[in-house]
Amino acid sequence: MNPQLQPLIDLQTLDLRIMEIKEQQKKIPDLIETAEAPLKSATQHLKTMTSSGETLVKERRDRERDLEIHEAQVEKLRARLTELKTNKEYQAHLFEIEIANKKKGEIEEQILTLMERVEKSQQEAKQAQISAKEAERLFAQEKSRLEALSAGLAAELAQLDQKRSKAGALLDKPLLDRYTKLKAARKDLAVAPVRNGICFGCRLQLPPQLVAEVKRSDQLQTCTYCHRILYWDGERVTVPTTTPETLVDAADDMQETA
Ligand SMILES: [Zn+2]
């Protein structure tokens, strides 16, 4: 097997995982924002509830002030009763008092209604506060989960970057450049396996002669159609079941003993 091939495949395995991690990392801010939405709406609801409660309390106080003013007026009217001379004046004055009392009763009624509404609104505000607290707890929980995930990804990425430079060091500079260009152009695979005579980069059937050469793998072969570097994904690959990590370690060992 061409000595450059395995390090190249390892490098690609690392790069694919690096790409995957970067994709996941990109999604995290959106996930945090989505997780925060219920908290934002619960906070807004609490704010609305609190402010409508305050409005009701103010309204009740205004009505209570009105009542005081009205009571004072009724008192004044009553006090004047003794000063009146004629029966006609007296009757008219009594009528005025009656109207004032009726108005007073109306205000008292309004105050009672307002007191009930204030009480109801206070209960609603309390409920909204409980909901907001719960939403805050859930968001904090989800946020720290996502932050832990992000930290884990960053740590893995740092490790992968290290492994990547080691794997890259095993390759000849022109081959590394070719790989880098292919990777940029192809977005996914720069090195493609050949299975059942098909290039798994472009999914096209390769000429049998090329397949045979890939299988022999003395030289690096390129796909006729997509120009990806090819490797035989069959029995000729020495350690197909080994994880990328051990492959790189093995590559390290190879480098050290070389
Ligand atoms: Zn191809």
Side-chain angles (χ1 to χ4, degrees):
M1 186 177 179
N2 185 298
Q4 297 278 288
L5 195 52
Q6 194 55 55
L8 196 61
I9 296 166
D10 295 343
L11 185 67
Q12 170 159 283
T13 307
L14 292 168
D15 277 342
L16 289 175
R17 179 64 189 147
I18 287 170
M19 232 157 65
E20 199 176 47
I21 289 178
K22 285 183 174 168
E23 279 307 306
Q24 272 183 288
Q25 280 180 324
K26 258 194 256 172
K27 284 179 192 153
I28 288 179
D30 272 354
L31 289 173
I32 291 180
E33 205 178 303
T34 306
E36 199 178 9
L39 172 60
K40 277 186 175 163
S41 111
T43 308
Q44 186 53 48
H45 180 62
L46 174 61
K47 222 167 139 185
T48 311
M49 282 293 121
T50 309
S51 113
S52 80
E54 281 164 0
T55 309
L56 283 170
V57 167
K58 190 184 169 296
E59 222 174 297
R60 192 199 67 203
R61 282 197 192 120
D62 287 350
R63 295 275 79 188
E64 281 168 349
R65 207 162 299 130
D66 284 351
L67 185 65
E68 277 171 31
I69 293 165
H70 230 79
E71 276 171 342
Q73 263 175 355
V74 171
E75 276 317 301
K76 227 174 174 178
L77 286 170
R78 278 190 203 285
R80 277 187 59 204
L81 273 176
T82 51
E83 298 164 16
L84 301 171
K85 307 277 186 276
T86 69
N87 194 39
K88 199 182 166 192
E89 271 182 325
Y90 192 79
Q91 290 304 327
H93 205 71
L94 274 186
F95 185 64
E96 218 177 314
I97 291 172
E98 198 189 313
I99 287 173
N101 268 330
K102 209 176 149 198
K103 179 75 189 156
K104 197 183 114 186
E106 278 168 19
I107 295 173
E108 281 169 343
E109 196 78 15
Q110 286 168 351
I111 290 171
L112 275 179
T113 308
L114 279 167
M115 278 165 84
E116 278 167 21
R117 286 177 65 195
V118 166
E119 199 182 331
K120 193 164 169 260
S121 134
Q122 277 168 347
Q123 278 168 359
E124 281 169 353
K126 206 170 166 183
Q127 197 52 52
Q129 197 164 25
I130 292 169
S131 302
K133 254 215 148 76
E134 177 62 6
E136 198 178 344
R137 190 186 68 79
L138 288 174
F139 171 60
Q141 198 179 310
E142 182 62 1
K143 191 174 170 227
S144 71
R145 187 187 75 81
L146 289 168
E147 280 168 353
L149 176 69
S150 174
L153 290 174
E156 193 186 344
L157 196 60
Q159 270 190 339
L160 287 168
D161 277 338
Q162 269 189 349
K163 286 181 188 171
R164 197 196 179 280
S165 5
K166 283 187 193 172
L170 295 178
L171 296 172
D172 293 341
K173 178 87 171 60
L175 182 58
L176 186 60
D177 289 348
R178 201 170 132 207
Y179 167 80
T180 309
K181 269 185 207 150
L182 270 171
K183 187 168 74 113
R186 293 295 171 203
K187 308 288 177 210
D188 50 7
L189 295 178
V191 191
V194 175
R195 287 174 205 153
N196 305 319
I198 288 169
C199 161
F200 264 65
C202 63
R203 309 266 159 176
L204 291 174
Q205 188 79 45
L206 298 168
Q209 179 60 32
L210 180 56
V211 175
E213 274 161 20
V214 171
K215 191 169 181 180
R216 208 163 40 238
S217 77
D218 298 332
Q219 301 291 317
L220 293 181
Q221 301 296 334
T222 304
C223 173
T224 326
Y225 311 104
C226 68
H227 307 298
R228 286 179 174 92
I229 300 163
L230 298 170
Y231 67 93
W232 180 252
D233 192 33
E235 67 276 12
R236 274 294 302 273
V237 175
T238 41
V239 276
T241 52
T242 327
T243 63
E245 197 171 336
T246 49
L247 283 178
V248 173
D249 288 345
D252 286 348
D253 293 341
M254 270 171 59
Q255 195 183 30
E256 275 160 23
T257 51

